[in-house]
Amino acid sequence: MKMMRREILSAAALCAAIQGADASPIDISNELPNFFGGGVGSTTEYAGGKDRIVGVVPGMRYVTGSGHLFEWYGTYAQYNFGSLSGFQWGPALALRLGRRDVDDPVVSQVHSVDTTLEGGGFVGYEYSHAGDIPYRLRAEVTVVTNAGVVYSGARTSLNTSAWFPVHRRVFVGGGLGATWVSGGFNETYYGVTAEDAAKSGLPLYTPGGGLNQVTGWLAAIYQINPSWYAGAMVYYQRLSGDAADSPIVTQRGTRNQLTYGVGIAYAFR
């Protein structure tokens, strides 16, 4: 069964968007509500590919009785032991979906990649401005690895976001990010072994590590009523470095990856 990869948190547009919106239609500087919901979106079949698939992902935000924050967006989850606003830190888990039975007849001859669980942690900071024009800013660094189960080394991501109200019930947001990976990661997902080359006709390719991609996104969220929200998001990835130079990308796919989706969520206190 073909599944959407980790980077598609944008498919659950609202699940990401509601991080910057408040249950109140007037002031986003108050404490954010708990919520659960989901989204549907379209993305490429695998990182670097050009064939598209459609998928559904869930999302959840919940503040425990002790004041800790649990967030779950699609295939990524984290638990914040820090402040709800201010310094944040804690463990992180990600389900990295594999590459198997793809539509491209050439890439289908390249070694398959199993789905794997990544574990690690994050540190970040969130600033909430309460004023005539309230806004929220967030920056976060996440480091995860799967301890050599599927790939060796680690993956480090830097992500930033900003949210602003443009109407009593409408919020807009955007963000930028970048990801650095180990050579072992790139070899697994973008490498072409001698056996792969013999089967597929692609040239032998052994990538190193470094900057893997840069990302950017834009989104909007609409408050239907005090409990229900709807949103939409467009998410852009541009593969970089050795990942972008892989023949899987240059000959059979594209370094420009576009994902888009819509979502809905129910918020509660």
Side-chain angles (χ1 to χ4, degrees):
M1 179 179 179
K2 295 169 185 174
M3 300 178 68
M4 305 178 82
R5 58 184 195 276
R6 157 67 182 96
E7 289 83 355
I8 330 174
L9 44 118
S10 55
L14 187 63
C15 296
I18 202 167
Q19 295 182 73
D22 185 75
S24 165
I26 300 175
D27 185 4
I28 67 169
S29 64
N30 297 331
E31 180 183 350
L32 301 182
N34 297 321
F35 81 90
F36 64 87
V40 59
S42 173
T43 190
T44 53
E45 193 175 12
Y46 54 90
K50 59 182 179 181
D51 295 318
R52 302 193 67 82
I53 57 172
V54 174
V56 177
V57 289
M60 180 178 183
R61 180 186 193 276
Y62 180 73
V63 179
T64 68
S66 58
H68 296 151
L69 174 63
F70 171 72
E71 294 178 286
W72 171 32
Y73 305 116
T75 56
Y76 177 80
Q78 65 182 39
Y79 191 86
N80 174 28
F81 285 109
S83 303
L84 297 182
S85 181
F87 181 66
Q88 302 175 339
W89 64 277
L93 289 175
L95 183 67
R96 173 155 288 277
L97 304 176
R99 184 184 66 218
R100 185 182 297 275
D101 299 327
V102 300
D103 289 336
D104 188 295
V106 174
V107 179
S108 66
Q109 300 302 310
V110 177
H111 66 273
S112 61
V113 181
D114 292 333
T115 294
T116 188
L117 183 66
E118 299 173 306
F122 77 97
V123 293
Y125 191 87
E126 182 172 320
Y127 173 73
S128 177
H129 177 76
D132 294 337
I133 303 179
Y135 58 85
R136 287 182 179 272
L137 304 175
R138 190 177 189 179
E140 191 172 282
V141 175
T142 304
V143 180
V144 294
T145 180
N146 82 330
V149 175
V150 171
Y151 67 86
S152 60
R155 182 168 60 89
T156 301
S157 298
L158 168 65
N159 290 290
T160 62
S161 65
W163 283 95
F164 305 85
V166 295
H167 184 269
R168 295 182 69 249
R169 295 183 180 273
V170 180
F171 304 88
V172 295
L176 297 172
T179 301
W180 292 263
V181 301
S182 63
F185 180 96
N186 271 345
E187 285 184 25
T188 297
Y189 293 95
Y190 300 99
V192 179
T193 67
E195 183 179 357
D196 295 335
K199 290 181 178 180
S200 67
L202 293 175
L204 179 69
Y205 185 67
T206 304
L211 180 64
N212 175 264
Q213 66 174 8
V214 292
T215 62
W217 58 268
L218 294 172
I221 181 172
Y222 174 73
Q223 183 185 29
I224 301 170
N225 59 42
S227 296
W228 288 96
Y229 295 80
M233 178 182 279
V234 176
Y235 182 73
Y236 171 73
Q237 299 164 259
R238 182 171 175 82
L239 295 178
S240 303
D242 285 10
D245 293 334
S246 168
I248 295 174
V249 178
T250 60
Q251 295 188 23
R252 305 301 304 180
T254 174
R255 66 187 301 179
N256 299 303
Q257 307 280 283
L258 186 65
T259 301
Y260 47 84
V262 295
I264 191 167
Y266 176 77
F268 59 95
R269 293 289 182 180

